[in-house]
């Protein structure tokens, strides 16, 4: 008998970290919630990372997901920006891991392919497909939409990951 699995998708960013929660049962998807955790750009880096940590920890505590998925970082031309994004991504992975969740990682192209069918596409295509896949979906902004797409990508790929982990453990 299958159980409903609640998944949090996280789109890391230092200014805005998007999050989206879905439930999956078999092939069906159901929207639960989405939002954005923000940090104050006037504060020092450590304080901003604390804001992201605390905001994501509140979301994980409130919605009690079973699994987490985080988008992998792409490399920018600006090394400083890439490093800061990597630190925000570390927070995005740490929070669910500290809550006892397995954290999967997906490349941006894999997320787009899972949601719109191709590895390259516009934000509007993702928004449209989210509404097709989950008619009751609600999101404000690209960060929350991207986080929902990451959660959907994980829902589509989790069976293969679970099978591989079981084979390694057995």
């Amino acid at each position: 008998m299958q159980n409903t699995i609640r998944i949090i998708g996280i789109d890391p960013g230092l200014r805005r970290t998007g999050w989206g929660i879905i439930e999956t049962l078999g092939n069906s998807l159901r929207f639960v919630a989405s939002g954005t955790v923000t940090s104050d750009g006037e504060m020092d880096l450590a304080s901003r990372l604390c804001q992201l940590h605390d905001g994501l920890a509140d979301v994980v505590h409130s919605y009690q997901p079973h699994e987490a998925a985080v988008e992998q970082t792409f490399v920018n031309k600006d090394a400083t920006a890439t490093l800061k994004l990597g630190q925000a991504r570390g927070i995005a992975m740490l929070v669910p891991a500290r809550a006892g969740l397995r954290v999967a990682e997906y490349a941006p192209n894999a997320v787009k392919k899972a949601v719109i069918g191709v590895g390259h596409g516009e934000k509007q295509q993702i928004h449209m497909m989210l509404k097709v896949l989950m008619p009751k979906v609600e999101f404000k902004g690209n960060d929350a939409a991207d986080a929902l797409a990451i959660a959907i990508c994980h829902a589509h790929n989790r069976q293969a990951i679970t099978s591989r982990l079981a084979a390694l453990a057995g």
Side-chain angles (χ1 to χ4, degrees), residues 60-73:
V60 169
H61 178 76
S62 295
Y63 290 99
Q64 298 291 306
H66 302 110
E67 298 177 9
V70 176
E71 189 170 63
Q72 292 175 339
T73 304

Side-chain angles (χ1 to χ4, degrees), residues 97-156:
R98 294 281 299 170
L101 307 181
R102 187 178 77 216
V103 181
E105 302 173 70
Y106 297 97
N109 287 350
V111 173
K112 288 178 183 173
K113 187 168 186 172
V115 176
I116 62 175
V118 293
H120 299 282
E122 300 297 320
K123 297 283 186 191
Q124 294 300 30
Q125 289 175 292
I126 292 172
H127 294 191
M128 182 188 72
M129 282 306 296
L130 289 174
K131 292 174 184 175
V132 168
L133 294 168
M134 299 180 297
K136 295 182 180 181
V137 72
E138 296 175 19
F139 54 87
K140 290 183 181 174
N142 291 334
D143 302 299
D146 288 349
L148 287 165
I150 294 160
I152 290 170
C153 178
H154 182 65
H156 290 181

Side-chain angles (χ1 to χ4, degrees), residues 8 12 16 51 60 71 75-76 78 98 111 129 143-144 151 161:
I8 182 170
R16 293 175 308 278
Q51 288 178 318
V60 169
E71 189 170 63
V75 178
N76 291 313
D78 179 356
R98 294 281 299 170
V111 173
M129 282 306 296
D143 302 299
I161 293 169

Side-chain angles (χ1 to χ4, degrees), residues 67-90:
E67 298 177 9
V70 176
E71 189 170 63
Q72 292 175 339
T73 304
F74 63 91
V75 178
N76 291 313
K77 292 178 182 172
D78 179 356
T80 302
T82 300
L83 182 59
K84 288 179 181 178
L85 177 58
Q87 291 167 326
R89 188 170 174 276

